[in-house]
Amino acid sequence: MRTTELFVKMVIDRWNGSILNLNKLLNALTDEQIEKEITIGKNSGRYLLGHLIAVHDEMLILLDMGEKLYPELLEPFIKQADKEATQSQSVAELREMWEKQNAHLQTKFEKMEPEEWFEKHSAVSEEDFAKEPQRNKLNIIITRTSHLQYHSGQIVLLN
Amino acid sequence: MRTTELFVKMVIDRWNGSILNLNKLLNALTDEQIEKEITIGKNSGRYLLGHLIAVHDEMLILLDMGEKLYPELLEPFIKQADKEATQSQSVAELREMWEKQNAHLQTKFEKMEPEEWFEKHSAVSEEDFAKEPQRNKLNIIITRTSHLQYHSGQIVLLN
């Protein structure tokens, strides 16, 4: 296997593994459990699920992979905090969005050639990218996997 | 920057960023807060801190970087669960171990040439590694960063 291909595989495998892990956690929880706060006064499972979908939707833009699926989630699940937000989406709706989004991202990822992952992401200028080549598309996957794991560690506490 | 060097930088930067993030969280917590359970009936902050140190100590072995610093943590913080374990280490002691360990790992990581990260880790056979070259040392950093983020998302709830 070529080095570039190998490296992409390592990063994407960890992303896929993290998604699978969270799917297992979500499948083990009822909608009522997901409605609850992780612990007193903290974010609810519903907020965290909406937040992950909203953040992963932003990835489509950062990775130049077309339009967002759920632009309506930006306001209630990223810009607003849980307690102040007016989120009308139910847990059942969020679960469906999450599954569709994962399938969509997977299809997009599979179309990428290994080298394309090392192109600049859309939020960095050509000038900055020349100086900081680590600000590439693959790095978006690395940082979003970290973010996903962080919140997965919280969602598991609902069980 | 060469591609191999760039990959390694991306992965090590994310590890370092995750360590820094957890250090900030730990510095914002008192020893008494870290003693507490994350939420009712779940692991304490102390258990999670000991667990992270024990897991990172295992990395030294997996990465062929010499002896463990704290072999005595394996039993109480990996083999045993929080509630059943007899952990004699105080939060203050664990904080000191954590800091020493991070400095030690950093020194070891800095000595590595980029290519060395793509060598097999110590828990995989030559035969399996030939078939699965992703089971290299750098992948240990990728998976342990995931693990660190997962538990960091829990430790932050103590605040």
Side-chain angles (χ1 to χ4, degrees):
Chain A
M1 205 184 294
R2 287 177 315 124
T3 317
T4 309
E5 209 175 322
L6 177 65
F7 192 68
V8 170
K9 180 181 166 49
M10 286 160 63
V11 172
I12 300 290
D13 279 1
R14 190 79 289 273
W15 166 268
N16 288 335
S18 301
I19 294 281
L20 272 179
N21 175 51
L22 182 52
N23 281 343
K24 261 189 228 166
L25 299 180
L26 291 173
N27 290 339
L29 294 166
T30 64
D31 290 7
E32 292 65 36
Q33 283 175 303
I34 295 177
E35 281 289 349
K36 293 215 171 84
E37 292 177 341
I38 302 298
T39 177
I40 304 162
K42 304 290 181 182
N43 291 323
S44 64
R46 184 165 75 102
Y47 181 81
L48 291 179
L49 181 55
H51 176 69
L52 287 171
I53 301 168
V55 167
H56 295 180
D57 230 26
E58 295 282 326
M59 286 170 66
L60 289 166
I61 306 301
L62 287 166
L63 300 173
D64 270 323
M65 290 181 174
E67 297 294 305
K68 286 190 189 188
L69 297 182
Y70 314 111
E72 68 276 18
L73 299 188
L74 175 66
E75 193 64 32
F77 291 107
I78 294 186
K79 293 204 173 172
Q80 297 180 324
D82 190 5
K83 310 304 167 191
E84 50 168 311
T86 46
Q87 313 119 348
S88 54
Q89 294 79 6
S90 68
V91 172
E93 284 168 323
L94 291 172
R95 282 188 196 267
E96 205 185 313
M97 289 174 166
W98 171 252
E99 280 175 29
K100 275 193 194 158
Q101 184 186 54
N102 286 333
H104 184 70
L105 287 171
Q106 187 126 30
T107 310
K108 294 284 185 186
F109 290 1
E110 282 167 6
K111 283 187 190 147
M112 295 276 281
E113 292 298 324
E115 285 70 21
E116 291 180 88
W117 284 109
F118 291 88
E119 294 168 2
K120 79 175 197 65
H121 64 68
S122 72
V124 63
S125 68
E126 292 284 0
E127 201 182 355
D128 287 347
F129 185 62
K131 283 177 280 185
E132 300 175 296
Q134 72 274 20
R135 297 175 71 180
N136 54 46
K137 291 178 178 175
L138 198 62
N139 216 30
I140 296 292
I141 308 294
I142 293 179
T143 55
R144 292 331 180 261
T145 303
S146 262
H147 178 259
L148 172 59
Q149 283 289 127
Y150 186 88
H151 291 304
S152 296
Q154 298 173 336
I155 291 170
V156 70
L157 299 171
L158 290 169
N159 202 330
Chain B
M1 205 183 294
R2 286 177 315 124
T3 317
T4 310
E5 210 175 321
L6 179 65
F7 295 163
V8 171
K9 179 180 168 48
M10 286 161 63
V11 172
I12 300 290
D13 279 0
R14 189 79 288 274
W15 165 268
N16 288 335
S18 301
I19 294 284
L20 272 179
N21 175 52
L22 182 52
N23 281 343
K24 261 189 228 167
L25 299 180
L26 292 173
N27 290 339
L29 294 167
T30 64
D31 289 8
E32 292 66 37
Q33 283 175 304
I34 295 177
E35 281 289 349
K36 294 213 170 86
E37 291 177 341
I38 302 298
T39 177
I40 302 163
K42 303 291 180 180
N43 290 325
S44 65
R46 184 165 75 102
Y47 181 81
L48 291 179
L49 180 55
H51 177 68
L52 287 171
I53 302 168
V55 167
H56 295 181
D57 230 26
E58 296 281 328
M59 288 170 66
L60 290 166
I61 307 302
L62 288 166
L63 300 173
D64 269 322
M65 290 181 175
E67 296 295 304
K68 287 192 190 188
L69 298 183
Y70 314 112
E72 69 275 18
L73 299 189
L74 174 66
E75 192 65 32
F77 292 106
I78 294 186
K79 294 205 173 171
Q80 298 180 323
D82 191 7
K83 311 303 167 191
E84 52 168 308
T86 46
Q87 313 118 348
S88 55
Q89 295 78 5
S90 69
V91 172
E93 283 169 322
L94 292 171
R95 282 188 196 267
E96 205 184 314
M97 288 175 166
W98 170 252
E99 280 175 28
K100 274 193 195 157
Q101 184 185 53
N102 285 332
H104 184 70
L105 287 171
Q106 186 126 31
T107 309
K108 294 283 186 186
F109 291 0
E110 282 166 7
K111 282 186 190 146
M112 294 277 280
E113 292 298 325
E115 284 70 21
E116 290 180 90
W117 285 108
F118 291 88
E119 293 168 1
K120 80 174 197 66
H121 64 68
S122 71
V124 63
S125 69
E126 292 285 359
E127 201 181 357
D128 287 346
F129 184 62
K131 284 176 278 183
E132 300 175 296
Q134 71 274 20
R135 298 175 73 179
N136 54 45
K137 292 178 178 176
L138 198 61
N139 216 29
I140 297 292
I141 308 293
I142 293 178
T143 54
R144 292 333 181 259
T145 303
S146 263
H147 177 259
L148 172 58
Q149 284 288 128
Y150 187 88
H151 290 305
S152 295
Q154 298 173 336
I155 291 171
V156 69
L157 298 172
L158 291 169
N159 202 328

